[in-house]
Amino acid sequence: MTAPVGIIMGSKSDWPTMQHAADMLDTLGVTYEVKVVSAHRTPDLLFDYAKSAQGRGIKVIIAGAGGAAHLPGMAASQTSLPVLGVPVKSRALNGIDSLLSIAQMPGGVAVGTLAIGDAGAKNAGLLAAQILATSDNELLARIDAFRNQQTETVLAQPDPRNAD
Amino acid sequence: MTAPVGIIMGSKSDWPTMQHAADMLDTLGVTYEVKVVSAHRTPDLLFDYAKSAQGRGIKVIIAGAGGAAHLPGMAASQTSLPVLGVPVKSRALNGIDSLLSIAQMPGGVAVGTLAIGDAGAKNAGLLAAQILATSDNELLARIDAFRNQQTETVLAQPDPRNAD
Amino acid sequence: MTAPVGIIMGSKSDWPTMQHAADMLDTLGVTYEVKVVSAHRTPDLLFDYAKSAQGRGIKVIIAGAGGAAHLPGMAASQTSLPVLGVPVKSRALNGIDSLLSIAQMPGGVAVGTLAIGDAGAKNAGLLAAQILATSDNELLARIDAFRNQQTETVLAQPDPRNAD
Amino acid sequence: MTAPVGIIMGSKSDWPTMQHAADMLDTLGVTYEVKVVSAHRTPDLLFDYAKSAQGRGIKVIIAGAGGAAHLPGMAASQTSLPVLGVPVKSRALNGIDSLLSIAQMPGGVAVGTLAIGDAGAKNAGLLAAQILATSDNELLARIDAFRNQQTETVLAQPDPRNAD
Amino acid sequence: MTAPVGIIMGSKSDWPTMQHAADMLDTLGVTYEVKVVSAHRTPDLLFDYAKSAQGRGIKVIIAGAGGAAHLPGMAASQTSLPVLGVPVKSRALNGIDSLLSIAQMPGGVAVGTLAIGDAGAKNAGLLAAQILATSDNELLARIDAFRNQQTETVLAQPDPRNAD
Amino acid sequence: MTAPVGIIMGSKSDWPTMQHAADMLDTLGVTYEVKVVSAHRTPDLLFDYAKSAQGRGIKVIIAGAGGAAHLPGMAASQTSLPVLGVPVKSRALNGIDSLLSIAQMPGGVAVGTLAIGDAGAKNAGLLAAQILATSDNELLARIDAFRNQQTETVLAQPDPRNAD
Amino acid sequence: MTAPVGIIMGSKSDWPTMQHAADMLDTLGVTYEVKVVSAHRTPDLLFDYAKSAQGRGIKVIIAGAGGAAHLPGMAASQTSLPVLGVPVKSRALNGIDSLLSIAQMPGGVAVGTLAIGDAGAKNAGLLAAQILATSDNELLARIDAFRNQQTETVLAQPDPRNAD
Amino acid sequence: MTAPVGIIMGSKSDWPTMQHAADMLDTLGVTYEVKVVSAHRTPDLLFDYAKSAQGRGIKVIIAGAGGAAHLPGMAASQTSLPVLGVPVKSRALNGIDSLLSIAQMPGGVAVGTLAIGDAGAKNAGLLAAQILATSDNELLARIDAFRNQQTETVLAQPDPRNAD
């Protein structure tokens, strides 16, 4: 069976960021596929990927890219699946270019944008799961459990001065 | 039956922006509820709203706010439903404060952020529908039709020098 | 007796910044409590904390957070106590997101915002003491003494080329 | 009897902004004095004002300025009273210069910074009152009443589509 | 014969900006074609356009877009022709998002970026002509003439206080 | 025979960035000359260089500079040759000053601006070659081959989790 | 006799800004010459102007420009006279590009930069006079008088609520 | 005899930056005094320093500060001497806050602002010397010599690929 989430990224060098999306999906028991798809160096692959994703059983696409980050928006131009965008921290401008390139889409083609960097990738995995959970109560229960555990972890260590 | 989408905003003055989310949902045949919920002036209402949303049948929350825009992130802190955030254009800083306040969430609580202003609100409606369509093929067909029509409109007027 | 200042922060990782607030209060002889309270991961705790603070004898709340920093503003939404916000330096954007998320509050709910990072935390401690000193002349004298000593330290080393 | 709040501003042209601080103090029944004090054009007046404020019975200073906004920080350099800074929206840069000039104080001299423009001025009035209320229960009750009314106003108009 | 320059833009609303590119080419006696091609709403058209441009005799592509401006970079991904990008001024962020989305391309796919708005469009026309003139001495002479006239116009009115 | 591309830079310290332009031209079999020409320290040399470039057989100028980066624009003021600008990453502001100083040229004198830093330098070499290829089919074939190889490299390593 | 101050600007459209420099010099009794000198459209004139200024008796140059504002820095590259730069407010980016293009000069060629827009132009006139006054006690007295009057004007209207 | 240049800075930690001003003055044979003067921690010293500078024979003041950098503008408020401001690179925001705090002065009190960091400090020394040279031909000759040597150094090493 095809995985319901497709994680794509513009370059192999984006993987240290994007693996946080994969790790979150692992935590929540959601399967996924991972692929390097470059908007600028492999545009035809990008279009094939985005056009075929729904037919292959993909439900949500997570796309990460940095700098002039066109991957999420261009994926969204070729599919009606929800596309989530992760702005990867860029070398010169720390990802503010990535964030604006992904978030500032024109009306009519949407990308749900997450935070710059690791936190954003982690949350892309989480939001993809939340989207799938709108029709999957078992997954919803696992998300609730993850969130509860996350809350408990904070509550269990109220004093920041203590060692872990 | 409860509407599957809840649109909330921090102030009545956000409605001229947020109505573009409502209009898009109307176009796609998705019902929704609309409410002013202020993170700062009605925090208890916000928590009640977010905690009860799933039980009332809401599937996706769209939250719009400007400036130090805490509404989307705080809604997300109280529900496992997908939350989409619309940065409303602010008076002094044109919405860059709204965008950063919504997008830069820490890992573990996710908000899918759209563009600043009208385009972002429209796309929040569209992305909410795309999320619902992951388990609703009829809605998916309506989204595809909307997208095709949007494409046809551009293709029908290739010369920008012509009057409409 | 309850301490008059409550220092809260969104994550244990904020402590290296926020301890400068605690150190300043120590210097000025003001007692305080310290707690990790996450707006996004422990929202109910945040509301409990802020709602109960005044009843427990807290007079000023210092809240530090980074990125989409909602902790100070949301604390302020639940108490009439003065709330001071410290923008913690964030990984990608160096705290400009934290600063805007804390400072750009809408009219009606106020946060007194300090500088990004260590200097801001130190000054949050100082300003909290100054607030308490509006009705505590002994504390005021200690603040004056601290300020005088600070001035003397600069005056005693007028030549920046000398070793300390 | 001297008013407990001093509102100063760098130029007469800042009054349309700063009057929101005065209005809020009026609403809360707090008296205040208002004066144009320019850090750059009347520096001696600024120092006299700040040095003498405490002796004259002032408890909190609110200082508004735009551009290279030195008024709040320089007032704070000459008094142990709490100083609140309001970044006035500037002509070219919309107040981001004002905000950074006021908020980014070095450790040791604190300014509690509010939002750019009208909302910030209103909140400076509110925060000044909150500071005074740390030792004035009647004022605290008036602040609580103001906040409750503010909450009720939002709750009374939940649908943003209705006319006021 | 096909025109050597193709001017494309993401939306009909970009024409008031992009016509400055057309005007400059008219001034320099360079023919061109003009077409609305939206990266997000007509991605297949964009790919067809870019892939076929060289075969149709196009030598330089000028692409204008605003916000998350993906048109120039995606055109460049599908052709070895020089692509010039014009950042159109955007509603919320005045074109800084457009500029970063166009200029910050990764190594391996190039876009020559011009200034935000009208000046950038005019210069895109000029630079396209300069590129063609690397193998067209008559065009080079016309460009030199244009530049000389531009210089003369400034020299002829040295005093800014005189009416035109 | 003179090389068709002139690479100039404001300082020897720009070479680690600008060598990526040279490397790309080497890869594509395009000869070039390299010279330090400082707009501010050797302005007469800059004017001589730019005025004489066309006569010496130069077809495209690549100019790299950082901070208040005037080299590309001032070179463009003295020649009708296409000028490409590379914003070198600056010490304090990471190259955003360089980017704006190069890109925001007034209408009438054009600079084709590339990305900040190494990627921009590489793409300046690529775009210079693309410009020359508008009248050199053999070079065009080499560019096409480079691009195809670049695409194949991505396609050959689709899984970012594998070691190279 | 030659005027001691030369005011140049990149375009006639900069005059509404730059006339504030002229007005200030008029106020202080300092003569000046005014000329449009465009760095990009009349580079040779710029070099002639800057190289000949000292010989003609000019003591200080004031240069105003917007966007990629190269005029002040390039003037400074050709003269040992003090050069003051005025960042003119630009259409898209409100002068932040002008400010960075003028202020961020490399070590070895200096420009004294003033504020963006009218205030900066006025202060350029004032600073030019202050420079001349380092060897002209009568001018110094006039500057002192201007400053005293400026101070008196503020002191005379301490209440911002009064009509002028 | 008093030195004609006074170099002041807000903190001893600014010396590694500000020594570049001193070094440049040494190179040009201009004497100077150096002192730590903190606008916020020693405001009275600042006023004494600025008010007495002219009487002590100081002709130009160089003031360096970081963050909310009020030192240059406040010095300028108390003297008719030319004041040059050096924005020291700040910890969180890399000196953009320092730059705006120094440059964006209101009309009527001028600061000539240099670049952020070392280059700005070096140029403050250079510009101070240029100001003094408006009435000192021997110094002017030394400045010309420095500039010529600077030019020769660049011309002597035209190839950036060679080792120094």
Side-chain angles (χ1 to χ4, degrees), chain A residues 8-161:
Chain A
I8 57 177
M9 64 209 76
S11 159
K12 205 166 175 170
S13 64
D14 298 326
W15 177 242
T17 298
M18 297 308 293
Q19 69 181 338
H20 294 275
D23 289 350
M24 176 56 75
L25 291 168
D26 284 336
T27 298
L28 298 172
V30 177
T31 58
Y32 53 88
E33 58 177 43
V34 175
K35 199 165 189 178
V36 173
V37 176
S38 165
H40 301 122
R41 289 174 295 157
T42 62
D44 292 326
L45 172 63
L46 167 57
F47 274 24
D48 288 347
Y49 185 91
K51 285 181 174 172
S52 69
Q54 187 178 305
R56 284 184 300 117
I58 296 286
K59 298 275 189 184
V60 183
I61 293 174
I62 295 173
H70 301 176
L71 187 68
M74 293 310 297
S77 78
Q78 290 285 13
T79 179
S80 292
L81 295 177
V83 175
L84 305 181
V86 179
V88 174
K89 195 174 165 180
S90 52
R91 278 183 69 182
L93 299 182
N94 293 321
I96 190 71
D97 45 0
S98 322
L99 174 62
L100 295 176
S101 296
I102 293 175
Q104 288 294 84
M105 291 289 289
V109 180
V111 172
T113 307
L114 289 303
I116 300 167
D118 295 356
K122 181 178 178 180
N123 282 348
L126 177 57
L127 186 54
Q130 289 175 283
I131 290 169
L132 296 173
T134 58
S135 60
D136 179 344
N137 283 328
E138 292 185 12
L139 174 55
L140 182 59
R142 291 198 299 276
I143 294 172
D144 283 338
F146 162 79
R147 292 170 58 101
N148 287 338
Q149 187 178 28
Q150 180 172 253
T151 299
E152 292 307 318
T153 301
V154 177
L155 296 177
Q157 297 239 0
D159 192 331
R161 294 167 293 194

Side-chain angles (χ1 to χ4, degrees), chain H residues 18-156:
Chain H
M18 295 310 293
Q19 69 180 340
H20 294 277
D23 289 349
M24 175 55 76
L25 291 169
D26 284 335
T27 297
L28 298 173
V30 177
T31 57
Y32 52 89
E33 57 176 44
V34 175
K35 199 166 191 180
V36 174
V37 177
S38 167
H40 301 118
R41 289 173 296 158
T42 62
D44 291 326
L45 172 63
L46 167 57
F47 275 24
D48 289 345
Y49 186 91
K51 284 181 175 174
S52 69
Q54 187 179 304
R56 286 185 298 118
I58 296 285
K59 299 274 189 184
V60 183
I61 293 175
I62 296 174
H70 301 176
L71 186 67
M74 292 312 296
S77 78
Q78 288 287 13
T79 180
S80 291
L81 295 178
V83 176
L84 306 181
V86 178
V88 174
K89 194 173 165 182
S90 52
R91 278 183 71 181
L93 299 183
N94 293 320
I96 190 71
D97 44 1
S98 323
L99 174 61
L100 295 176
S101 296
I102 293 174
Q104 289 293 86
M105 290 291 288
V109 182
V111 173
T113 309
L114 288 305
I116 299 167
D118 294 355
K122 181 178 178 181
N123 282 347
L126 176 56
L127 186 54
Q130 289 175 282
I131 289 170
L132 296 174
T134 57
S135 60
D136 180 343
N137 282 329
E138 291 184 15
L139 174 55
L140 182 60
R142 292 198 299 276
I143 294 171
D144 283 337
F146 163 78
R147 291 170 59 102
N148 287 338
Q149 187 177 28
Q150 182 172 251
T151 299
E152 292 308 316
T153 302
V154 178
L155 295 177

Side-chain angles (χ1 to χ4, degrees), chain B:
Chain B
M1 205 194 91
T2 309
V5 178
I7 302 177
I8 57 178
M9 65 209 75
S11 159
K12 204 165 175 171
S13 64
D14 298 326
W15 177 241
T17 299
M18 296 309 293
Q19 70 181 338
H20 294 276
D23 290 349
M24 176 55 75
L25 291 169
D26 285 335
T27 298
L28 298 173
V30 177
T31 58
Y32 53 87
E33 58 177 41
V34 175
K35 199 166 190 177
V36 173
V37 177
S38 166
H40 302 121
R41 291 174 293 158
T42 62
D44 291 327
L45 172 64
L46 166 57
F47 274 24
D48 289 346
Y49 185 92
K51 284 181 174 172
S52 69
Q54 187 178 305
R56 285 184 300 116
I58 296 286
K59 299 274 190 184
V60 183
I61 293 174
I62 296 173
H70 301 175
L71 187 67
M74 292 311 297
S77 76
Q78 288 286 12
T79 179
S80 291
L81 294 178
V83 175
L84 306 181
V86 179
V88 174
K89 195 174 165 180
S90 51
R91 279 183 68 182
L93 299 183
N94 293 320
I96 191 71
D97 46 359
S98 322
L99 175 61
L100 295 176
S101 295
I102 294 174
Q104 288 294 84
M105 292 289 288
V109 181
V111 172
T113 308
L114 289 303
I116 299 167
D118 295 356
K122 181 178 178 180
N123 283 347
L126 176 56
L127 186 54
Q130 289 174 282
I131 290 169
L132 296 174
T134 58
S135 61
D136 179 344
N137 283 328
E138 291 184 13
L139 174 54
L140 182 60
R142 292 198 299 276
I143 294 171
D144 283 338
F146 163 77
R147 291 170 58 101
N148 288 338
Q149 187 178 28
Q150 181 172 252
T151 299
E152 292 307 318
T153 302
V154 178
L155 295 177
Q157 296 240 359
D159 192 331
R161 295 167 294 193
N162 292 344
D164 288 293

Side-chain angles (χ1 to χ4, degrees), chain G residues 2-3 13 21-22 24 28 34-35 39-40 43 48 53-55 65-66 83 102 107 115 124 132 142 145 153 160-161:
Chain G
T2 309
S13 64
M24 176 54 76
L28 298 172
V34 175
K35 199 165 191 178
H40 301 119
D48 288 346
Q54 187 178 303
V83 176
I102 293 174
L132 296 174
R142 292 198 299 277
T153 302
R161 294 166 295 194

Side-chain angles (χ1 to χ4, degrees), chain C residues 89 93-96 99 116-118 147 150-152 154-155 157-164, chain H residues 9-13 15 22 32-38 40-43 45 91-94:
Chain C
K89 195 173 165 181
L93 299 182
N94 293 320
I96 191 71
L99 174 61
I116 300 168
D118 294 357
R147 291 170 58 101
Q150 181 172 252
T151 298
E152 292 308 317
V154 177
L155 295 176
Q157 296 240 359
D159 192 330
R161 294 167 294 194
N162 292 345
D164 288 292
Chain H
M9 65 208 76
S11 159
K12 204 166 176 168
S13 64
W15 177 242
Y32 52 89
E33 57 176 44
V34 175
K35 199 166 191 180
V36 174
V37 177
S38 167
H40 301 118
R41 289 173 296 158
T42 62
L45 172 63
R91 278 183 71 181
L93 299 183
N94 293 320

